[in-house]
């Protein structure tokens, strides 16, 4: 699927992180990529993050998966919503929904969450800390959008759903299959299913908080300093200590020296780049092991590439690269591969199906890198059959 009627440049200039936008069916040919029964089956699997929200006489109740297979038969007439996270990691047709939105850099893309709702169901008015495209896949849903919120916005007195109190809508639309509602970070929104079999695909984006970056990078730097051969030598020193007026004072000179020590340790941009690439490409669900049962045969990999064979990317693994002089750092599932040809890094990060240029496929180091990526579960050899694209098996 592709966006046939959508002005990307105009969207980025006028709507992205600025205001909500309703996009009426922009697809060349919209087709719902997943059936409701298949979504329910995923919610019953261990290792798949899912939630069930039921609107009963006493309000909303929240239940975390995995759900029992007979749970849906016992729900009764009360409106309910099923939310399943990261469905793109399990269903290639759902992963394909991300492709049209790659005008936003890959490192910003999080996952595709799917919600299924019965008539009148919804999760309540809330806001997210990230951008989201809400694609109506099946059925109809009424969306109301409100003003931009922040930490001071009054919440309903329950912590498990973080719902907004006194929600006042500023816009309202009914979405049909193929319609998209874009909601920037912080804007209140509330969706309610109109009729049964309502499915919505939420493409969410990552937005690292300053505190998360400081905490993660600082901890990484601290660990590295502790591993130095002579860590005790990397301590505050004042060989020119003057006699100060009062022993209880921390003087400006001492503060300047302490501050400089801290900033100097954190200021290595190249080291930060490597750390961020590794952190950003770590698996969202590391408990799931996608590695093959047997290691790849380097000779088979080399022969496959030499014959023009394609590669498939595992949608559960993240890939990114950073240019490093004449070479590139390739990041895959939290691992850093240095000294990679930029053209190879671009090709491997280019899409779900990777077909290398013949000269690049034969270049020194290519087969070894591809073999390593296969062994960690990031790639598989594409032989043109349907079995290779079923990563969940």
């Amino acid at each position: 699927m592709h966006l046939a009627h959508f002005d990307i440049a105009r969207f980025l200039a006028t709507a992205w992180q600025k205001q909500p936008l309703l996009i009426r069916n922009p697809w060349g040919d919209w087709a719902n990529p997943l059936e409701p029964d298949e979504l329910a089956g995923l919610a019953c699997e261990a290792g798949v993050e899912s939630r069930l929200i039921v609107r009963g006489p006493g309000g909303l109740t929240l239940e975390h998966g995995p759900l029992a297979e007979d749970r849906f038969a016992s729900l009764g007439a009360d409106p309910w919503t099923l939310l399943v996270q990261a469905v793109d990691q399990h269903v290639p047709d759902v992963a394909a929904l991300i492709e049209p939105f790659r005008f936003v850099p890959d490192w910003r893309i999080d996952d595709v969450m799917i919600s299924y709702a019965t008539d009148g169901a919804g999760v309540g008015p809330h806001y997210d800390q990230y951008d989201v495209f809400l694609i109506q896949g099946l059925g109809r849903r009424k969306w109301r959008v409100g003003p931009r919120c922040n930490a001071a916005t009054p919440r309903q007195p329950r912590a498990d759903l973080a719902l907004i109190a006194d929600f006042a809508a500023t816009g309202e639309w009914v979405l049909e299959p193929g319609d998209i509602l874009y909601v920037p970070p912080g804007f209140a929104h509330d969706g309610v299913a109109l009729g049964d079999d309502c499915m919505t695909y939420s493409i969410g984006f990552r937005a690292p908080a300053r505190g998360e970056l400081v905490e993660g990078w600082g901890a990484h730097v601290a660990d590295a300093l502790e591993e130095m051969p002579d860590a005790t030598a990397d301590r505050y020193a004042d060989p020119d200590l003057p006699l100060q007026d009062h022993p209880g004072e921390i003087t400006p000179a001492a503060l300047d020296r302490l501050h400089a020590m801290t900033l100097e340790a954190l200021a290595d941009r190249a080291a930060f780049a490597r750390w961020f690439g590794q952190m950003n490409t770590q698996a969202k669900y590391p408990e799931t092991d996608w590695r093959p049962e047997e290691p790849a045969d380097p000779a088979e990999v080399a022969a496959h590439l030499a014959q023009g064979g394609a590669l498939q990317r595992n949608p559960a693994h993240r890939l990114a690269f950073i240019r490093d002089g004449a070479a590139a750092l390739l990041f895959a599932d939290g691992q850093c591969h240095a000294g990679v040809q930029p053209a190879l890094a671009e090709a491997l990060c280019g899409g779900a199906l990777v077909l290398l240029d013949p000269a690049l496929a034969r270049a020194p180091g290519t087969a070894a890198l591809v073999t390593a990526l296969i062994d960690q579960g990031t790639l598989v050899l594409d032989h043109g059959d349907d079995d290779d694209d079923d990563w969940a098996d």
Side-chain angles (χ1 to χ4, degrees):
M1 287 182 286
H2 66 284
L3 299 175
H5 314 290
F6 182 61
D7 189 333
I8 293 174
R10 182 179 179 184
F11 168 79
L12 292 175
T14 62
W16 176 254
Q17 300 211 324
K18 302 173 185 68
Q19 62 182 352
L21 179 68
L22 174 65
I23 308 165
R24 288 294 183 192
N25 201 332
W27 306 92
D29 185 18
W30 172 255
N32 183 49
L34 188 70
E35 293 300 317
D37 287 347
E38 296 175 285
L39 184 69
L42 280 174
C44 299
E45 294 184 11
V48 176
E49 184 182 353
S50 61
R51 291 166 288 164
L52 180 65
I53 299 175
V54 180
R55 184 183 297 277
L60 297 176
T61 60
L62 172 65
E63 180 180 340
H64 292 276
L67 304 174
E69 292 185 3
D70 60 354
R71 181 68 180 94
F72 300 103
S74 65
L75 284 171
D78 291 332
W80 55 270
T81 299
L82 173 66
L83 304 168
V84 183
Q85 207 75 38
V87 181
D88 52 299
Q89 297 191 7
H90 305 277
V91 183
D93 286 345
V94 173
L97 279 180
I98 294 175
E99 193 67 27
F101 298 94
R102 292 182 71 202
F103 55 84
V104 181
D106 286 355
W107 74 267
R108 290 276 270 116
I109 296 173
D110 191 2
D111 65 3
V112 181
M113 183 190 75
I114 303 180
S115 67
Y116 174 88
T118 60
D119 187 33
V123 302
H126 63 284
Y127 71 94
D128 301 311
Q129 302 285 2
Y130 49 81
D131 305 86
V132 63
F133 288 95
L134 300 162
I135 307 170
Q136 191 62 27
L138 193 66
R140 302 163 69 237
R141 188 184 292 267
K142 180 174 74 174
W143 283 103
R144 295 184 300 153
V145 175
R148 194 186 291 270
C149 303
N150 54 42
T153 300
R155 306 284 188 92
Q156 295 184 21
R158 54 181 305 168
D160 54 351
L161 291 174
L163 301 180
I164 298 170
D166 303 321
F167 174 69
T170 57
E172 180 178 308
W173 305 279
V174 173
L175 270 64
E176 306 280 349
D179 291 344
I180 303 174
L181 177 62
Y182 164 70
V183 183
F187 277 87
H189 52 287
D190 180 29
V192 177
L194 301 179
D196 292 328
D197 288 340
C198 172
M199 286 183 69
T200 301
Y201 297 77
S202 302
I203 300 181
F205 292 80
R206 299 172 131 196
R210 190 195 307 266
E212 295 170 345
L213 292 174
V214 171
E215 181 181 15
W217 172 230
H220 177 82
V221 170
D223 289 343
L225 290 174
E226 289 180 0
E227 295 173 2
M228 291 177 60
D230 187 8
T232 58
D234 192 37
R235 287 183 174 273
Y236 178 85
D238 47 9
D240 53 351
L241 179 66
L243 181 64
Q244 61 186 60
D245 295 334
H246 196 287
E249 181 184 5
I250 304 173
T251 64
L255 286 172
D256 288 344
R257 184 169 290 179
L258 291 164
H259 191 225
M261 283 180 66
T262 305
L263 293 184
E264 182 183 3
L266 298 172
D268 189 336
R269 188 181 184 281
F272 174 83
R274 183 182 287 251
W275 166 80
F276 182 77
Q278 291 177 292
M279 181 275 293
N280 186 256
T281 57
Q282 288 177 350
K284 184 170 185 176
Y285 302 100
E287 62 275 9
T288 302
D289 188 354
W290 299 97
R291 293 176 298 179
E293 294 182 1
E294 300 291 336
D297 181 353
E300 179 186 352
V301 172
H304 180 83
L305 296 177
Q307 295 166 7
L311 305 165
Q312 283 194 5
R313 281 178 51 179
N314 184 342
H317 281 225
R318 302 180 184 275
L319 280 167
F321 71 92
I322 294 175
R323 300 185 190 278
D324 184 32
L329 301 173
L330 178 71
F331 302 95
D333 199 32
Q335 301 296 315
C336 178
H337 302 270
V340 177
Q341 290 189 51
L344 179 57
E346 291 178 6
L348 293 174
C349 297
L353 188 67
V354 179
L355 188 60
L356 300 181
D357 177 87
L360 193 58
R362 294 190 300 268
T366 295
L369 175 60
V370 170
T371 300
L373 294 176
I374 292 173
D375 286 343
Q376 70 183 47
T378 305
L379 299 175
V380 293
L381 302 180
D382 179 69
H383 296 292
D385 54 51
D386 293 334
D387 292 336
D388 288 334
D389 59 6
D390 191 357
W391 293 94
D393 285 346

